[in-house]
Amino acid sequence: MTAELVRGQNHTLPQTRLEIRVSASSAVVAGATLADERGTVRGAEWIAHPASPRVPGLEVSRQATADHRLAVDLDALPDAVHRVTVLLALPTGPGRPGRFGAVAAPFVAVTGLDGAEIVTFTLTGLDTESAVSALELYRRQGVWKVRAVGQGYAAGLAEMLADQGVAGAAELAASIQGAVASGLVRSVTPPPRTPGGERADHSAGPAAPAAPANSGRPPASAQGPASAQPSEPPTGPTFPRTDSPGGPVSYAHPRRRTSAPPPPPPTAPPAAPGQPAQPVAGDAPGWSMDERLYNQIWGMFEDLARAVAAYRSAADFAESRMDQELDRTLSDPRSRIGGAGDRAREAARAKRDELTGRAREALERDLTQLAAESAVIEPALPAAYAGWGNPVWHAYRVPTEMPMALRIGDVHLPEDTGLRIPLLVRLPLERGIWVDSGRTASEAAAATDGDQLRGQAMETAVALAARLLAVHPADEFSVRVIDPAGSAAGPLSPLVGSGVLAGPPATGAHGVASVLAHLTRRVDLVQMAVRAGATDALPPDLDTGEHLLIVNDFPHGFDDKAVAQLRYLADEGPAVGVHLLMVADREDARAYGPVLDPLWRSLLRITPVADDHLADPWVGHAWTYEPLRTPQGSRVLEQVLARVAAARRAG
């Protein structure tokens, strides 16, 4: 059965000799990069493109064409290769489309050598982008998988190659486009289609208009459960072709009702003229409600960032203009005598206040609209995205599939501290998490006793571990705890009492060494098996599911060997399913000096109290993070863990 992927979704590949078929409505350039386990492209010899189409285990088309067939033999790739990224770009030149939004959506299929489709992916939602990372083949725990990426680049092929870490990306992109433009690689038109809508070579794919943006927002990446659509006649749109004597050509996918993402749920009645539209939960592009909500939440984050950036810029401009007017006025000695100077200062301040007031009015309109949208979205969120106070947890059932993301807290800006945006992280986790139990510069941390702060940090870690357990299938996620001094018995009681831990919390130096040795051995064995191509030789008792290690009060109870093992797990563990959740005060580890700097940098830092440490490089904001807390007196955490434990016993 063919799996139709959406952005971010992955699927296990059942074989290693594959063909990747690309179908588009106009000529595209296809290429691929090879990367090691760290995602690094080691040189030009690891890049396949029309002017240099072959690398070990992979061959791409020599042409810029509407249809491509890329041959892939994963077993023939160099041992150091862990990732293959398939790239598409529009050729440059007169008469050619300059962006994917001007053409029908490209379609990519991964097939076996017999032509049977394994997965398909339609690259909808592209607009100004002229290059896109379409698919990614990657190794995880010795198994090859495919992930739908769909990451577009408005700056074109050069930006895409640079994002892949390719040295001399601009020069390489220019040489590829130059080869296409000079005719060294020729462009061909799409082959004719059969009456049923498929191309004659059976590499048909859909071509759909870009998914409509939600209030101008670009769709965010998403990951959702695999799904296959039943066979149905095509009902998608058609696109006129001036070079086709037979009239409009249907680019509808033969097994999908429409090649565009399903429309959002029915919206509210149209707003009155001049009034903002009424918000609707899931009013964003996506193939499922979870994906639409994910995209909508990130759209709200972007809208809030833009609105606040515009307000701050306007306020800064008003202040700067007032200073300039005052400087000009006071630079004339005559204005300093009598009331002229006072009148000039009053006029400058009045103008500043007027400009700032207008900017604040615009900001308030945006904040009001976002607050209304937040009020509509929160009750509609699934458990993985919901806060502990959401009623969805009272109807919780252990899932059969991992969600695309997990809510780990909320973020807000000082212009409106009551407007909270859920902070979502993608699953599986790609880096560990550090709950900072130290006294930071925030007002909340300064007002909290040190022992109380450490207790809250461990409670935050326990709540996060409970969420991770709750959103994974019962037999696919396990949790271990290292508590060297046994100081976290109270906060750990929900995990210990429910029986969801893989073993009792490890205490003392011996317990620390035992758990670290067990997980280090697991990482070593999986990595060696992957590198040797002998994953079938792994010990039968080796648990290949996802693992979470909670470490309390680091570095107490850790010797030099244990510290080295922990650093190793933080660096190498996520790639093979071992994740770190560390509760620590960096000041306690200052004796190690810069040795631990790479460890701190590798972890996502969160805090047990409100702290504005999350930097936004897009617009320069410092977002305040707040952890999720259970309502006062609620036992929702214990109830959820009890259901997880019951599902594990039943399994």
Side-chain angles (χ1 to χ4, degrees):
M1 181 179 292
T2 303
E4 299 187 40
L5 304 184
V6 297
R7 279 185 178 86
Q9 187 177 342
N10 59 55
H11 186 82
T12 301
L13 292 170
Q15 56 202 80
T16 57
R17 298 188 67 188
L18 307 164
E19 187 173 72
I20 299 175
R21 298 179 177 181
V22 179
S23 180
S25 61
S26 64
V28 295
V29 178
T33 59
L34 311 182
D36 59 22
E37 57 187 353
R38 296 184 180 275
T40 302
V41 180
R42 296 187 176 180
E45 67 277 7
W46 277 21
I47 306 172
H49 52 83
S52 179
R54 290 191 182 91
V55 295
L58 178 68
E59 183 175 0
V60 304
S61 303
R62 295 178 177 271
Q63 307 168 1
T65 176
D67 285 292
H68 291 268
R69 294 192 177 193
L70 285 64
V72 182
D73 185 351
L74 298 175
D75 290 334
L77 294 172
D79 293 339
V81 172
H82 285 251
R83 185 181 304 168
V84 178
T85 304
V86 178
L87 314 175
L88 304 178
L90 292 171
T92 58
R96 296 192 179 278
R99 59 188 183 92
F100 276 108
V103 298
F107 172 75
V108 183
V110 179
T111 74
L113 295 184
D114 59 354
E117 291 181 347
I118 301 170
V119 301
T120 62
F121 175 41
T122 306
L123 283 77
T124 56
L126 298 175
D127 187 10
T128 60
E129 300 88 344
S130 59
V132 60
S133 294
L135 289 178
E136 180 181 85
L137 313 180
Y138 65 99
R139 277 194 287 190
R140 182 172 178 81
Q141 300 181 16
V143 178
W144 279 98
K145 296 185 178 182
V146 57
R147 177 184 290 118
V149 181
Q151 174 64 55
Y153 298 87
L157 186 58
E159 182 187 11
M160 179 170 59
L161 292 173
D163 193 46
Q164 294 284 319
V166 177
E171 293 78 5
L172 178 58
S175 67
I176 295 173
Q177 294 287 13
V180 174
S182 63
L184 294 179
V185 286
R186 60 185 177 87
S187 298
V188 298
T189 57
R193 290 178 173 265
T194 65
E198 295 186 356
R199 289 203 172 106
D201 61 359
H202 304 291
S203 59
N214 182 32
S215 302
R217 302 168 183 160
S221 299
Q223 176 176 342
S227 63
Q229 302 293 333
S231 297
E232 294 175 326
T235 59
T238 61
F239 298 84
R241 279 264 306 282
T242 58
D243 60 342
S244 175
V249 180
S250 172
Y251 286 96
H253 192 285
R255 288 186 302 281
R256 187 180 296 144
R257 286 189 179 273
T258 174
S259 55
T267 60
Q275 297 296 319
Q278 295 299 313
V280 176
D283 188 17
W287 289 100
S288 66
M289 176 57 84
D290 286 3
E291 184 185 356
R292 291 195 292 266
L293 289 169
Y294 179 92
N295 291 344
Q296 190 172 9
I297 288 170
W298 279 110
M300 291 173 60
F301 175 87
E302 293 167 355
D303 283 353
L304 179 57
R306 280 192 290 261
V308 170
Y311 166 72
R312 292 180 181 178
S313 177
D316 290 343
F317 170 78
E319 196 73 27
S320 174
R321 175 172 174 167
M322 182 189 71
D323 292 341
Q324 292 174 6
E325 291 180 352
L326 290 176
D327 288 343
R328 286 195 299 268
T329 300
L330 298 177
S331 64
D332 185 354
R334 292 172 296 180
S335 65
R336 304 175 190 174
I337 303 173
D342 293 338
R343 289 192 298 272
R345 280 189 287 269
E346 290 175 3
R349 292 191 181 102
K351 186 63 175 178
R352 186 266 321 266
D353 294 342
E354 178 190 356
L355 293 175
T356 303
R358 282 157 47 189
R360 185 71 201 190
E361 289 177 3
L363 175 64
E364 290 296 338
R365 287 195 299 269
D366 291 337
L367 293 178
T368 299
Q369 182 69 8
L370 286 169
E373 190 172 7
S374 178
V376 170
I377 286 179
E378 281 289 347
L381 294 178
Y385 302 171
W388 287 115
N390 193 308
V392 71
W393 286 106
H394 297 294
Y396 166 77
R397 295 292 182 270
V398 177
T400 57
E401 292 179 326
M402 179 181 67
M404 69 177 70
L406 178 73
R407 184 175 182 173
I408 64 170
D410 294 331
V411 293
H412 62 83
L413 291 171
E415 281 74 9
D416 188 347
T417 58
L419 179 57
R420 310 294 176 89
I421 306 296
L423 177 60
L424 305 178
V425 296
R426 296 295 299 273
L427 294 179
L429 296 173
E430 296 182 356
R431 60 192 298 199
I433 297 176
W434 163 32
V435 185
D436 190 350
S437 61
R439 190 177 298 279
T440 63
S442 70
E443 294 181 4
T448 307
D449 176 76
D451 291 338
Q452 184 182 3
L453 198 61
R454 284 189 286 273
Q456 290 181 0
M458 196 60 198
E459 291 172 359
T460 300
V462 169
L464 183 54
R467 293 180 72 86
L468 284 163
L469 283 163
V471 302
H472 282 82
D475 56 348
E476 293 184 11
F477 197 87
S478 61
V479 178
R480 298 177 182 273
V481 178
I482 289 179
D483 185 21
S487 59
L492 284 171
S493 59
L495 295 177
V496 175
S498 62
V500 295
L501 294 178
T507 58
H510 177 72
V512 172
S514 176
V515 172
L516 291 177
H518 171 78
L519 292 177
T520 302
R521 172 180 175 270
R522 181 193 179 282
V523 173
D524 286 340
L525 287 175
V526 174
Q527 283 191 339
M528 287 189 294
V530 168
R531 290 167 182 165
T535 54
D536 55 345
L538 287 169
D541 61 338
L542 187 72
D543 182 4
T544 58
E546 301 286 315
H547 293 256
L548 178 71
L549 173 61
I550 303 176
V551 178
N552 180 44
D553 217 13
F554 175 83
H556 298 299
F558 281 70
D559 56 20
D560 290 345
K561 179 181 178 181
V563 169
Q565 288 177 316
L566 191 70
R567 286 187 55 189
Y568 175 72
L569 292 178
D571 291 339
E572 305 295 335
V576 291
V578 176
H579 311 286
L580 184 61
L581 176 55
M582 192 165 72
V583 179
D585 180 358
R586 190 168 183 174
E587 281 298 307
D588 293 341
R590 63 184 179 275
Y592 287 93
V595 173
L596 290 182
D597 285 352
L599 173 64
W600 306 117
R601 287 195 299 266
S602 70
L603 303 174
L604 171 63
R605 175 176 172 255
I606 62 175
T607 52
V609 294
D611 190 277
D612 61 349
H613 67 279
L614 291 180
D616 181 358
W618 181 39
V619 289
H621 296 331
W623 293 81
T624 296
Y625 167 85
E626 289 199 27
L628 298 174
R629 303 193 184 282
T630 57
Q632 187 70 26
S634 172
R635 294 190 57 81
V636 62
L637 187 70
E638 291 79 2
Q639 293 168 359
V640 168
L641 290 174
R643 291 176 184 174
V644 172
R648 293 189 170 198
R649 290 191 297 269

